[in-house]
Amino acid sequence: MKAEGDDMIGVFEGIEIGSWYRIPGGASFEVVALDLESESIEIQYYDGAIEELDFDSWLELAAQPTSAPNDAAGALDLNRGDYGDLSMDFDTNQPGDRLNPLDQLDWR
């Protein structure tokens, strides 16, 4: 005989923190926390909004696995100007190139 909690755990089976999902006809989000003890899952939408869902709410979403977005700036609320031009080809850089913004700090 199954315990009542076993059914609840089965709802989240296979879901991993860091996995991305899409609501049919809606937004995409990342699983950022999973708490089996409190029977909840925390998700972060691409725009940065965070929501905590119980088991029933998770099932109602009918979310489908999807790939992570190509541009990680959505949840960080960044504009291209905030982090510079990342379109350069990293394979053709020379040994003295300064690609890391921390390289520009004066450590003296």
Side-chain angles (χ1 to χ4, degrees):
M1 181 170 181
K2 279 187 171 183
E4 185 177 323
D6 290 345
D7 290 336
M8 294 296 185
I9 292 170
V11 172
F12 291 148
E13 190 173 334
I15 297 173
E16 296 180 14
I17 295 173
S19 299
W20 281 84
Y21 291 83
R22 177 174 295 281
I23 300 169
S28 60
F29 59 86
E30 178 183 12
V31 174
V32 294
L34 182 62
D35 188 346
L36 297 176
E37 205 169 288
S38 69
E39 300 177 353
S40 65
I41 185 169
E42 194 169 297
I43 62 174
Q44 181 173 15
Y45 291 95
Y46 179 73
D47 67 1
I50 295 178
E51 184 176 359
E52 185 174 334
L53 305 168
D54 60 18
F55 286 114
D56 293 331
S57 299
W58 172 258
L59 290 173
E60 288 173 14
L61 280 181
Q64 298 298 315
T66 189
S67 58
N70 292 332
D71 183 9
L76 301 176
D77 196 23
L78 295 174
N79 295 319
R80 262 260 186 250
D82 293 335
Y83 57 87
D85 180 17
L86 297 179
S87 63
M88 65 179 78
D89 183 3
F90 289 100
D91 293 334
T92 61
N93 295 322
Q94 301 302 314
D97 288 351
R98 296 187 137 181
L99 298 176
N100 185 339
L102 296 176
D103 291 341
Q104 298 176 21
L105 294 176
D106 186 9
W107 293 95
R108 295 176 225 178

